[in-house]
Amino acid sequence: MKTANHYLLLFIILIVGLKLDAQEKTSKEQVLGTMLKATEFMVEEVSTNGGYVWYYMPDFSRQWGEMEAYKTMIWMQGAGTIGMGHLFLDAYRATHNEYYYEAAKKAAAAVIWGQSHEGGWNYMVDFAGDRSLKQWYNTIGKNGWRLEEFQHYYGNSTFDDDVTTDATRFLLRMYLEKMDPSYKPALDKAINFILISQYPNGGWPQRYPLMYDYSKDGLPDYSSFYTFNDDVIWENINLLIQCYLVLGEQRFLDPIYRGMNFYKISQDSCGAWGQQVDMEMKAASARTYEPAAYLPGATSENTFLLMKFYELTGDKSFLDGVPKAISWLEIVKLPADKIEKHRTHSTFVDVKTNKAIYVHRKGSNVKYGRYYVDEDDKNLLSHYYGKSGVPLQKLKNEYNKISKLTPEEVSKNSPLKPAQFKNEETPQKYYNLNRFSFQFKVDEAKIIEIINALDNQNRWLTTKAYISNPYIGDGVKTELTNDYNSTRVGDETDTSPFRNKTNQKYISTGNYIKNMKFLINYLNATNQ
């Protein structure tokens, strides 16, 4: 039997960082024990039918995804149900403990329950059904001043925030982890949804099935527009490439190539892109603080992708638009006295004049507030800042490097080209389907900090969570005040999220995921 002094000695060894075999073995046991206890709390005390939101009060009196959620609701994107499901699979691979696989199965069951009839997903799922969800949209959702995507019940699915694509990716991982055919029907349905929602010219809308019924402030419903915002088109292409690698079906190639080609045909003659493009291939408005404009940020991202597509295809025509994009980015770079540290460009550029334009707001709530655009770079929005950073030199360097390579050289390792698979494992086990990699240097002091942070109820509590005002009804203050022009939230009727700067503690799925990733990375490093 180990005595208390024995455990004290081991703790001291951990703190001073001595590299002893016994310490490493005990440290690994501590990591495994901490991971399991924290996960048991999340699965057995926090989850709703296997699903999650983002934040919870410790007494579960309130909970939030991107906005406040009913107790019958779970959130899909971000650190919600899909992110938790991915994490459970990562933990299973690192530990081979079946508990994590069972936790992933529960999350997958929640994801499948929330899948639409057509095959996609909305931002959230309400286990109480559409009757409850419509009430949420009519109250909490409708009064989130800056979150216009939640102000209207569509009843369809979204590609925004990688919701549908990452849910599909998670089901793909569940299917492949144990080659379990029970996941194949939901996976096939999701993949088919992505394929049928693609426009013939290769673009994708933000939402599908297509809807046109939410016009706001005289602007058309933008959800059917070709959408670059939040990497909608690229994430669909990327997922289909992953499907091609691990499912191996020829049918994925045509939509992949059409998706890549869309970047060429949607680039404006000046070299820029808007983050939404209408059916006439013109930059289009979306939310009322997203005017019909060119975006230097989107232009930079799309230009990097054109070079990536050259690597994938060996088709040099993908490079044709790169010089004019770089030239445009140089033209619209802000003058030195307008640059703010790394923020070298305005977020929006007027399509007619190439001048920087900025979005502002007046009022205090969604009912009596409004957004407007001018050329003044003062008092900018905090939730959608008016200036952005563009890595122009990195863009130039990458183009100079890749343009010197022949099509054969640049595409020799392309996953789209015919080639024999020569690794020891099959593709289903070899490829990492995670959207984000989390390999980083193992810091033993950080591991000790995480282990010690678990409280006596097996929770990792955190402060500074994003919360919201509780719903108390529609806005009543009609004055177009400037008091909220640079805040994340308006008056007490605004249900938009804001960071709580007090020391109030919360249960956070994001904090759980972050800590688990550190511990998983530690295990993977020590197992090598």
Side-chain angles (χ1 to χ4, degrees):
M1 179 179 293
K2 291 182 175 65
T3 65
N5 286 337
H6 177 87
Y7 285 111
L8 178 61
L9 175 61
L10 288 176
F11 180 74
I12 293 171
I13 290 174
L14 280 171
I15 291 296
V16 299
L18 296 178
K19 303 297 183 183
L20 299 176
D21 290 342
Q23 175 267 328
E24 182 177 314
K25 182 174 184 294
T26 303
S27 176
K28 185 174 180 180
E29 291 171 353
Q30 286 180 317
V31 168
L32 290 170
T34 300
M35 288 172 59
L36 187 58
K37 286 187 291 185
T39 302
E40 287 174 339
F41 173 76
M42 298 301 289
V43 172
E44 295 164 24
E45 302 295 331
V46 177
S47 74
T48 300
N49 292 349
Y52 303 83
V53 294
W54 297 358
Y55 293 104
Y56 304 80
M57 292 291 291
D59 63 359
F60 299 106
S61 57
R62 294 180 72 193
Q63 60 186 44
W64 297 265
E66 192 165 4
M67 297 184 73
E68 184 163 10
Y70 292 160
K71 293 184 183 299
T72 55
M73 293 169 66
I74 60 173
W75 229 256
M76 288 290 106
Q77 88 269 38
T81 305
I82 302 167
M84 292 289 281
H86 279 304
L87 187 281
F88 294 145
L89 285 178
D90 294 338
Y92 174 66
R93 283 206 161 186
T95 66
H96 306 293
N97 185 333
E98 289 293 325
Y99 185 84
Y100 296 109
Y101 185 74
E102 291 300 313
K105 285 176 63 176
K106 292 176 181 178
V111 169
I112 293 171
W113 196 96
Q115 189 174 26
S116 72
H117 172 74
E118 295 83 9
W121 284 267
N122 192 20
Y123 299 101
M124 78 291 283
V125 172
D126 194 334
F127 286 104
D130 274 5
R131 179 169 176 261
S132 173
L133 190 59
K134 287 178 180 178
Q135 178 65 7
W136 182 91
Y137 272 99
N138 288 336
T139 53
I140 295 173
K142 188 177 74 170
N143 282 281
W145 188 9
R146 64 181 177 81
L147 293 173
E148 296 176 13
E149 62 270 38
F150 295 111
Q151 292 174 10
H152 175 71
Y153 172 85
Y154 278 103
N156 60 5
S157 301
T158 186
F159 291 113
D160 188 37
D161 288 347
D162 202 24
V163 172
T164 289
T165 41
D166 208 28
T168 306
R169 184 179 292 109
F170 173 50
L171 293 184
L172 179 61
R173 291 187 69 193
M174 289 299 297
Y175 172 53
L176 298 178
E177 188 62 43
K178 294 189 176 183
M179 304 297 281
D180 185 346
S182 66
Y183 292 104
K184 193 67 161 53
L187 174 61
D188 284 342
K189 187 177 177 181
I191 291 173
N192 187 59
F193 177 85
I194 293 170
L195 295 177
I196 65 173
S197 61
Q198 186 182 27
Y199 282 106
N201 64 9
W204 271 274
Q206 189 193 73
R207 302 187 72 101
Y208 192 83
L210 302 178
M211 306 284 278
Y212 309 95
D213 60 335
Y214 186 50
S215 173
K216 184 176 174 64
D217 291 354
L219 299 174
D221 190 320
Y222 62 88
S223 62
S224 65
F225 292 162
Y226 308 117
T227 303
F228 294 112
N229 188 28
D230 284 337
D231 290 326
V232 164
I233 296 174
W234 163 241
E235 284 298 343
N236 280 316
I237 296 169
N238 186 39
L239 176 67
L240 291 177
I241 292 173
Q242 291 179 324
C243 289
Y244 183 62
L245 286 172
V246 296
L247 300 178
E249 298 180 38
Q250 172 76 14
R251 67 187 178 119
F252 297 127
L253 285 179
D254 177 65
I256 289 170
Y257 277 91
R258 282 190 289 119
M260 292 189 292
N261 191 61
F262 183 78
Y263 284 75
K264 291 193 294 185
I265 66 176
S266 60
Q267 186 179 22
D268 191 84
S269 59
C270 72
W273 283 269
Q275 65 179 354
Q276 289 83 217
V277 181
D278 66 19
M279 299 300 103
E280 297 179 353
M281 291 293 183
K282 303 295 184 183
S285 59
R287 292 170 292 193
T288 56
Y289 47 85
E290 295 171 313
Y294 298 133
L295 275 78
T299 297
S300 171
E301 292 170 7
N302 288 0
T303 307
F304 276 116
L305 284 171
L306 287 179
M307 291 185 278
K308 184 178 185 69
F309 298 155
Y310 177 43
E311 292 180 303
L312 288 170
T313 65
D315 181 353
K316 208 153 192 174
S317 69
F318 280 109
L319 298 185
D320 291 347
V322 175
K324 61 182 180 180
I326 292 174
S327 176
W328 181 82
L329 288 169
E330 288 179 322
I331 290 170
V332 300
K333 184 177 179 180
L334 292 171
D337 62 336
K338 297 291 185 180
I339 291 175
E340 298 177 8
K341 296 182 179 179
H342 72 287
R343 301 181 190 273
T344 55
H345 291 70
S346 61
T347 299
F348 300 108
V349 172
D350 185 84
V351 297
K352 294 180 180 179
T353 65
N354 263 352
K355 291 183 178 180
I357 54 175
Y358 302 96
V359 183
H360 310 273
R361 71 179 183 183
K362 283 184 175 291
S364 63
N365 56 68
V366 67
K367 189 172 182 180
Y368 297 108
R370 68 180 181 88
Y371 289 91
Y372 63 97
V373 175
D374 61 23
E375 296 181 12
D376 182 5
D377 70 340
K378 302 295 188 297
N379 298 318
L380 300 177
L381 301 177
S382 61
H383 67 82
Y384 208 94
Y385 199 66
K387 297 181 182 181
S388 60
V390 171
L392 192 50
Q393 190 57 50
K394 182 179 178 182
L395 199 58
K396 293 177 182 179
N397 293 344
E398 182 65 18
Y399 176 66
N400 288 335
K401 181 179 72 173
I402 202 169
S403 62
K404 295 174 183 176
L405 300 176
T406 67
E408 293 73 26
E409 290 172 330
V410 77
S411 64
K412 64 180 180 180
N413 296 317
S414 169
L416 303 182
K417 296 295 184 72
Q420 181 183 355
F421 187 79
K422 295 182 178 180
N423 294 286
E424 291 184 5
E425 295 180 285
T426 64
Q428 292 73 31
K429 293 293 184 183
Y430 175 77
Y431 290 110
N432 179 4
L433 299 179
N434 271 334
R435 185 184 178 206
F436 300 112
S437 174
F438 55 93
Q439 295 299 317
F440 39 76
K441 184 178 179 181
V442 175
D443 182 343
E444 191 134 339
K446 180 65 177 179
I447 300 303
I448 295 169
E449 176 189 329
I450 291 171
I451 291 172
N452 293 338
L454 199 69
D455 72 6
N456 58 9
Q457 295 184 53
N458 297 327
R459 307 172 301 182
W460 279 309
L461 296 180
T462 189
T463 58
K464 310 300 185 291
Y466 276 95
I467 63 168
S468 64
N469 295 320
Y471 171 71
I472 59 172
D474 295 346
V476 294
K477 296 179 181 177
T478 61
E479 179 188 1
L480 288 179
T481 176
N482 289 319
D483 292 346
Y484 303 100
N485 59 7
S486 295
T487 62
R488 296 190 69 87
V489 65
D491 63 28
E492 63 274 10
T493 67
D494 184 2
T495 55
S496 301
F498 60 91
R499 189 181 291 278
N500 183 359
K501 296 181 180 180
T502 73
N503 290 323
Q504 170 66 51
K505 293 185 176 181
Y506 299 88
I507 299 164
S508 163
T509 52
N511 193 44
Y512 164 82
I513 290 172
K514 179 187 69 175
N515 287 341
M516 286 288 287
K517 284 184 175 181
F518 272 105
L519 299 181
I520 289 169
N521 196 67
Y522 177 83
L523 289 179
N524 290 337
T526 56
N527 286 338
Q528 290 178 354

